[in-house]
């Protein structure tokens, strides 16, 4: 448990160093942190939540893996990520 804050700091530093290198030359993110969204969680199944981070990378992903545009906390409390910034994966959601 004591190592967790160090781990978060390491991930933050990693993101700061490598996010630009992996960033797609596309337009800025469609949704800001805190935006209400819906994420596809199954075939024709969507779950509501809020964006909690951009440039998400799971700690276990290999260094050559790219990042996901969004990390989202679903209304049921689960954390998920949206691998693409498109309406097939993540779309604007209704306000709570």
């Amino acid at each position: 448990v004591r190592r967790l804050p160090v781990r978060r700091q390491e991930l933050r530093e990693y993101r700061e160093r490598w996010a630009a290198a992996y960033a797609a030359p596309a337009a800025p993110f469609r949704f800001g942190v805190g935006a209400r969204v819906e994420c596809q969680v199954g075939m024709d199944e969507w779950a509501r939540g809020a964006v909690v981070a951009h440039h998400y990378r799971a700690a276990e992903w290999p260094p050559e893996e790219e990042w996901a545009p969004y990390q989202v906390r679903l209304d049921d409390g689960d954390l998920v990520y949206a691998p693409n910034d498109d309406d097939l994966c993540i779309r604007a959601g209704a306000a709570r």
Side-chain angles (χ1 to χ4, degrees), residues 8-36:
R8 285 185 183 159
Q9 180 63 30
E10 290 170 359
L11 288 174
R12 188 175 301 115
E13 290 172 2
Y14 182 88
R15 281 188 194 133
E16 289 172 2
R17 186 175 337 135
W18 294 105
Y22 286 108
F29 295 110
R30 294 182 302 149
F31 307 109
V33 172
R36 297 290 301 161

Side-chain angles (χ1 to χ4, degrees), residues 1-6:
V1 174
R2 290 181 184 213
R3 185 157 166 71
L4 188 58
V6 174

Side-chain angles (χ1 to χ4, degrees), residues 21-62:
Y22 286 108
F29 295 110
R30 294 182 302 149
F31 307 109
V33 172
R36 297 290 301 161
V37 295
E38 295 179 343
C39 295
Q40 187 174 29
V41 294
M43 290 296 283
D44 298 321
E45 185 180 352
W46 293 82
R48 292 181 177 163
V51 174
V52 294
H54 292 141
H55 298 286
Y56 174 74
R57 282 188 50 80
E60 65 273 7
W61 291 357

Side-chain angles (χ1 to χ4, degrees), residues 59-83:
E60 65 273 7
W61 291 357
E64 64 275 2
E65 281 286 323
E66 292 190 12
W67 46 269
Y70 302 101
Q71 184 179 36
V72 176
R73 180 172 305 281
L74 300 179
D75 289 349
D76 67 7
D78 286 347
L79 279 171
V80 299
Y81 65 92

